[in-house]
Amino acid sequence: MDTNILENWYFAMWAYKGLAQSNNPSSPYAKKYTYQQLVYDVIEKEYGKKINNIDFSYLPRESKPSRSLVVPTPVNYSSGNIILYEKGDYVRTDGIRTALFLRDTPTGNYTHQLSLNQLGSITDGPVLMNGYYWYKLYVDEKTEGWIERNWLVRTGDTEYGKYIYNDISFHWARKTIMDLFGKGIVSKATLYNPDKPVTFEEYCIFLSKTLSYIEESNQQKRIQIERTIPKNDFANAHSWALKYVKDINERGLLEKEILDPLESLNRKKAALIIEDILVSSDKYMDIDIKTIFSDLGNLTKDEISAVKTAYTNGIVSGKHTKAFCPDEYLTRAEAAVIMANIVNKYVR
């Protein structure tokens, strides 16, 4: 069973309530809403994740399902959030279990005992067997074998080396963040805080460094919007951020949005700041962005234009299906993706 498929947890949820017939949708004694269905409804409402029911025709009408019962996974299914590793990832054992072993094959015989916080690299996998994802771990020339994913913690990969931030190992944006670090767009620190809202001054730092990187890479002149520059001393900005905030202002990018430097930035304002460095193509002139995102009804004309320009240039995407979520705060990970997309679009 693939534990990363949410539909495969149906019987576990049912068993949580003792496999009662009142929660058997095929039983004449079933409640109107079984416990499993109530959980599904909450997940869909609160997290926007649709979980499909199994085929109820496989269920016995008046008895508990037997251990030998095999019910196929629905054709349409939803995946969970188990992070799978890749060949070349650097990992260590989790340092919690006192006895961990490598095996000759997935679920096979023990071959080597590992030490606490043992370092290694992934050379093969994943292989799904007995409900676990298995990976082949290389420690040294004499020590290599298979181990369950559950006991491994990713620390880096062969492309970017050891991750310098302690909080991105399992994050979806880890490679983007490390790529920006390599380009000097994000700075070294213990934590990156990828899911924390980005502030206005942090966004300006990222954008200023991104534009400077593009200019240097292309050996081109300064990216500048010709307009009257609004005067602002940005007195609230941190000293380490001030020159970058001023740079973005002096480039003419803050005509529409000048904010408190410490204020968290929402997604529509992030689009407004970058709109003027992007190209509005006639190819997309007739596209009604409201047919792509259904939650833009309360935006101003300028805000809608900014979202459309950023979207059609491949710089931003929706937060959920048909939803841009313009008033939600932009996270530091999402800001990193925006910067990476700008670099990829304009570096020749």
Side-chain angles (χ1 to χ4, degrees):
M1 181 187 81
D2 189 342
T3 54
N4 202 31
I5 295 177
L6 300 182
E7 283 75 5
N8 288 343
W9 288 87
Y10 186 86
F11 289 98
M13 285 193 296
W14 184 2
Y16 182 76
K17 288 294 185 178
L19 293 175
Q21 283 300 293
S22 59
N23 287 317
N24 179 355
S26 292
S27 170
Y29 309 108
K31 294 183 291 188
K32 182 178 180 180
Y33 299 105
T34 65
Y35 173 74
Q36 305 90 281
Q37 190 59 54
L38 291 174
V39 172
Y40 282 7
D41 291 345
V42 169
I43 291 173
E44 183 172 6
K45 180 180 179 181
E46 297 295 328
Y47 303 101
K49 178 78 77 171
K50 172 71 174 176
I51 304 178
N52 298 292
N53 281 312
I54 61 171
D55 186 345
F56 295 149
S57 67
Y58 284 84
L59 302 180
R61 283 180 52 81
E62 298 190 17
S63 63
K64 295 180 180 180
S66 68
R67 287 182 174 273
S68 61
L69 178 66
V70 177
V71 179
T73 299
V75 174
N76 297 314
Y77 60 81
S78 296
S79 296
N81 60 355
I82 294 178
I83 304 297
L84 299 180
Y85 300 147
E86 302 171 5
K87 293 179 183 178
D89 279 352
Y90 296 144
V91 295
R92 64 170 174 82
T93 53
D94 63 11
I96 298 174
R97 290 170 61 96
T98 56
L100 288 173
F101 297 88
L102 295 180
R103 302 175 187 245
D104 55 0
T105 61
T107 73
N109 298 316
Y110 292 146
T111 57
H112 304 281
Q113 183 169 358
L114 300 176
S115 59
L116 291 176
N117 294 306
Q118 175 67 63
L119 298 175
S121 61
I122 300 295
T123 59
D124 202 356
V127 173
L128 179 63
M129 192 171 292
N130 288 2
Y132 290 95
Y133 288 101
W134 295 81
Y135 288 93
K136 197 170 190 179
L137 180 66
Y138 174 86
V139 177
D140 56 42
E141 292 181 355
K142 297 181 179 179
T143 311
E144 186 174 20
W146 293 86
I147 187 172
E148 302 96 317
R149 174 213 169 277
N150 302 50
W151 322 131
L152 299 177
V153 177
R154 179 164 42 208
T155 60
D157 58 59
T158 53
E159 184 176 3
Y160 297 105
K162 186 179 185 298
Y163 297 150
I164 62 165
Y165 306 106
N166 293 339
D167 57 352
I168 67 169
S169 293
F170 296 100
H171 201 276
W172 57 267
R174 65 189 182 280
K175 291 193 174 185
T176 298
I177 294 167
M178 286 300 298
D179 185 58
L180 293 185
F181 171 74
K183 291 178 169 65
I185 294 172
V186 298
S187 302
K188 186 175 182 179
T190 302
L191 301 175
Y192 182 80
N193 296 307
D195 296 318
K196 182 180 178 181
V198 69
T199 64
F200 173 64
E201 67 177 9
E202 289 172 337
Y203 191 74
C204 287
I205 293 172
F206 294 159
L207 185 56
S208 175
K209 290 184 175 182
T210 295
L211 297 180
S212 294
Y213 177 82
I214 293 171
E215 292 160 355
E216 182 178 346
S217 298
N218 294 342
Q219 296 184 335
Q220 68 179 69
K221 65 180 182 179
R222 178 179 169 85
I223 298 171
Q224 181 77 41
I225 307 302
E226 297 301 328
R227 60 162 56 107
T228 301
I229 305 301
K231 294 182 179 180
N232 196 314
D233 60 5
F234 301 102
N236 291 342
H238 287 102
S239 58
W240 41 264
L242 184 57
K243 73 173 184 178
Y244 300 105
V245 178
K246 286 185 174 181
D247 177 58
I248 294 302
N249 187 47
E250 290 166 1
R251 288 176 183 271
L253 299 182
L254 299 184
E255 179 193 38
K256 300 172 184 175
E257 286 300 326
I258 294 186
L259 309 171
D260 181 338
L262 306 184
E263 179 181 335
S264 294
L265 195 68
N266 63 32
R267 291 168 57 83
K268 66 185 179 187
K269 290 179 180 178
L272 278 165
I273 292 171
I274 62 173
E275 180 183 16
D276 288 332
I277 63 173
L278 304 175
V279 177
S280 296
S281 172
D282 292 342
K283 178 180 178 181
Y284 303 109
M285 184 178 298
D286 295 332
I287 289 180
D288 183 358
I289 194 67
K290 291 182 180 179
T291 64
I292 298 173
F293 301 122
S294 60
D295 57 351
L296 305 182
N298 294 326
L299 270 58
T300 66
K301 183 178 179 181
D302 283 345
E303 290 168 344
I304 291 173
S305 172
V307 171
K308 178 178 178 178
T309 300
Y311 175 76
T312 55
N313 275 273
I315 306 301
V316 301
S317 58
K319 187 89 171 180
H320 307 295
T321 303
K322 295 208 73 175
F324 184 75
C325 302
D327 294 311
E328 285 192 15
Y329 289 136
L330 186 78
T331 68
R332 286 170 53 85
E334 291 169 335
V337 171
I338 287 175
M339 302 308 147
N341 288 340
I342 292 174
V343 168
N344 292 337
K345 184 174 181 65
Y346 290 109
V347 170
R348 296 191 289 268

